[in-house]
Amino acid sequence: MENEIYCQGCGALIQTTDPEKEGYTPKSSLKNEDLLCRRCFRLKHYNETQEVSMTDDDFLKMVSSIRDANGLVVHVIDIFDVEGTLISSLPRIVGDQPIILVGNKVDLLPKSTNSRKLEQWLRASAKQANIKVKDVFLISSTKGHGVEELAKQIDILRNKKDVYVVGTTNVGKSTFINRIIKQSAGLDDVITTSYFPGTTLGFIEIPLDDSTFLIDTPGIVNKQQMVHYVSTKDLKLITPDKEIKARGYQLNSEQTLYFGGLARLDFIKGDKQTFVCYFSNRIPIHRTKLDNADTLYEKNIGKLLSPPDEETMKKLPELTTSTFKIKNENTDIVFPGLGWVTIKGGNVTVVAHSPRDVAVSMRRSLV
Ligand SMILES: Nc1nc2c(ncn2[C@@H]2O[C@H](COP(=O)(O)OP(=O)(O)OP(=O)(O)O)[C@@H](O)[C@H]2O)c(=O)[nH]1
Ligand SMILES: [Mg+2]
């Protein structure tokens, strides 16, 4: 009998019989020391992904096995998509183990962001979702910002036990662990990461000492995330790849902003003022009269108003509206997974349009 071996890149069980299934490796590669399955090899070298047979439910079941463990849970979320990546059912999934909440990808925020406000907002969001957290950190896994402090706190709170890194897909769990491995052992890109959702397929154990591990887990799938409704090409466009630049628009009431054709904000009532937009620099923003907005959409969706591209249009739910009556100055209207708009003045009514299931929300401005 062969011993069971797992891919060090994605955690899938290695097999040599079915090239279409996860974990496939040609027999000839089995003797390699750092064994990677063919899917990981292709992701790493060609940025190509391969379908897997595992379902959303398989991943959820796998991660839910943590409930019976005894360790520390590091819940990583994407600060660009707090609504979509904060797992409100986390206490059910991981039981009553201590939780650290980690807001990842801070490198993408404009420099003017107030980290204290952001941290407060994350704490409030966790509280609202009934998730008790021991601590909150803001980090950038790609740039390393905040990772050392977090690693120190993890080492204290883990109390010589295992550490589980848990979150929805694509928040940067594996990138975070790679950063820790780099800082402690000097090795680069040990675990496979990619901008495709669903990269990690099984638990990946990185030894912390003789008996405990730092454990990467597959992402939990939340259908309220924008990532599930856009094509690979559009995913690249909507995901910021560097610090986002604020784009300001002086608007009168009865004007509309389109963010590509993926979302829209109507300024219904209020004094003339600035709307400051924070989206991936590659999402074009169009201003139009509210009167013309529907016609513009019908005629230009996928063309002037893009993304969406053709593939995205096939799976994108229709836009639905939410109305916000804003009293206070400096309020953000948040389009989860896309960005947000800061409205400077108070006493404003706006209507936000977003794909059904990707609910728009409001918060105090972070800038
Ligand atoms: N800008 C930025 N991008 C990041 C950061 N961390 C991760 N990413 C990017 O986010 C994408 C997903 O990263 P992964 O580490 O594969 O995410 P994951 O949570 O392990 O995803 P699954 O394994 O699919 O659950 C990749 O394109 C990463 O480069 C960060 O701190 N800043
Ligand atoms: Mg991963």
Side-chain angles (χ1 to χ4, degrees):
M1 282 282 288
E2 259 179 316
N3 278 336
E4 286 187 343
I5 18 179
Y6 294 86
C7 171
Q8 76 156 38
C10 68
L13 181 65
I14 293 288
Q15 49 94 10
T16 56
T17 47
D18 189 347
E20 302 306 317
K21 276 230 171 97
E22 53 275 0
Y24 176 76
T25 311
K27 270 209 174 95
S28 57
S29 319
L30 283 182
K31 54 187 182 304
N32 292 355
E33 206 171 296
D34 298 324
L35 192 58
L36 273 193
C37 70
R38 192 177 66 170
R39 175 174 168 276
C40 279
F41 185 85
R42 289 187 172 168
L43 266 172
K44 246 183 186 160
H45 296 284
Y46 313 116
N47 236 323
E48 256 175 43
T49 185
Q50 182 185 333
E51 293 287 317
V52 298
S53 63
M54 295 158 105
T55 63
D56 300 356
D57 209 39
D58 292 333
F59 291 134
L60 182 61
K61 275 198 191 119
M62 207 186 290
V63 179
S64 298
S65 71
I66 296 176
R67 201 172 4 207
D68 304 320
N70 176 14
L72 172 69
V73 170
V74 175
H75 180 25
V76 181
I77 63 175
D78 180 343
I79 47 159
F80 265 79
D81 190 6
V82 172
E83 287 81 1
T85 61
L86 185 74
I87 304 174
S88 52
S89 55
L90 192 68
R92 250 181 298 147
I93 297 173
V94 304
D96 50 11
Q97 306 178 75
I99 297 168
I100 299 183
L101 183 63
V102 175
N104 188 31
K105 311 196 184 180
V106 292
D107 55 292
L108 299 175
L109 290 172
K111 290 270 184 299
S112 49
T113 310
N114 183 324
S115 323
R116 204 176 39 86
K117 279 191 193 160
L118 176 56
E119 198 189 302
Q120 277 170 359
W121 179 54
L122 295 190
R123 274 184 204 278
S125 304
K127 198 166 174 197
Q128 202 178 12
N130 265 325
I131 305 173
K132 286 204 188 77
V133 297
K134 290 269 177 218
D135 213 340
V136 176
F137 280 82
L138 297 173
I139 66 164
S140 163
S141 298
T142 45
K143 298 279 194 292
H145 172 96
V147 173
E148 218 163 293
E149 295 86 329
L150 170 56
K152 275 188 198 140
Q153 185 66 338
I154 287 177
D155 212 41
I156 295 169
L157 290 179
R158 79 184 183 97
N159 204 3
K160 303 197 173 69
K161 291 173 184 158
D162 292 331
V163 180
Y164 293 87
V165 179
V166 174
T168 50
T169 183
N170 248 16
V171 294
K173 299 177 295 299
S174 303
T175 308
F176 165 63
I177 295 180
N178 277 344
R179 170 60 59 169
I180 299 237
I181 297 173
K182 183 172 172 62
Q183 287 179 356
S184 54
L187 299 169
D188 281 310
D189 301 329
V190 171
I191 301 177
T192 306
T193 64
S194 82
Y195 64 88
F196 300 109
T199 303
T200 306
L201 301 180
F203 285 11
I204 305 174
E205 300 186 330
I206 308 295
L208 289 170
D209 52 37
D210 290 345
S211 58
T212 56
F213 298 91
L214 174 61
I215 300 156
D216 194 5
T217 68
I220 289 171
V221 177
N222 174 4
K223 285 291 185 211
Q224 286 161 7
Q225 278 184 274
M226 200 71 200
V227 282
H228 301 300
Y229 301 113
V230 294
S231 65
T232 306
K233 205 172 116 250
D234 284 349
L235 183 58
K236 267 196 154 163
L237 289 178
I238 68 169
T239 310
D241 62 346
K242 51 175 176 290
E243 184 192 327
I244 48 174
K245 283 205 209 84
R247 283 178 275 176
Y249 294 84
Q250 276 286 329
L251 296 190
N252 291 308
S253 60
E254 306 206 359
Q255 287 193 306
T256 288
L257 293 176
Y258 272 107
F259 309 102
L262 293 172
R264 149 181 174 188
L265 188 64
D266 300 338
F267 182 13
I268 304 293
K269 225 168 71 187
D271 294 341
K272 175 178 184 168
Q273 59 190 291
T274 314
F275 283 56
V276 188
C277 306
Y278 299 89
F279 290 82
S280 156
N281 306 333
R282 289 170 296 187
I283 297 184
I285 300 177
H286 294 279
R287 177 212 309 241
T288 181
K289 286 202 180 108
L290 180 58
D291 271 356
N292 295 340
D294 287 339
T295 321
L296 184 77
Y297 186 83
E298 279 153 30
K299 286 202 179 136
N300 286 292
I301 181 71
K303 293 177 237 157
L304 178 69
L305 302 180
S306 84
D309 64 11
E310 249 172 64
E311 202 190 323
T312 301
M313 275 158 66
K314 282 186 206 138
K315 49 184 179 181
L316 193 72
E318 58 174 354
L319 300 185
T320 55
T321 60
S322 347
T323 302
F324 296 91
K325 294 204 165 94
I326 302 168
K327 291 209 182 69
N328 300 323
E329 293 178 357
N330 294 317
T331 300
D332 288 344
I333 299 293
V334 185
F335 296 88
L338 285 176
W340 70 91
V341 179
T342 303
I343 300 171
K344 298 276 189 189
N347 293 321
V348 166
T349 305
V350 294
V351 171
H353 304 241
S354 68
R356 195 187 60 243
D357 302 334
V358 187
V360 177
S361 63
M362 197 167 75
R363 72 176 173 214
R364 258 182 71 203
S365 167
L366 301 178
V367 175

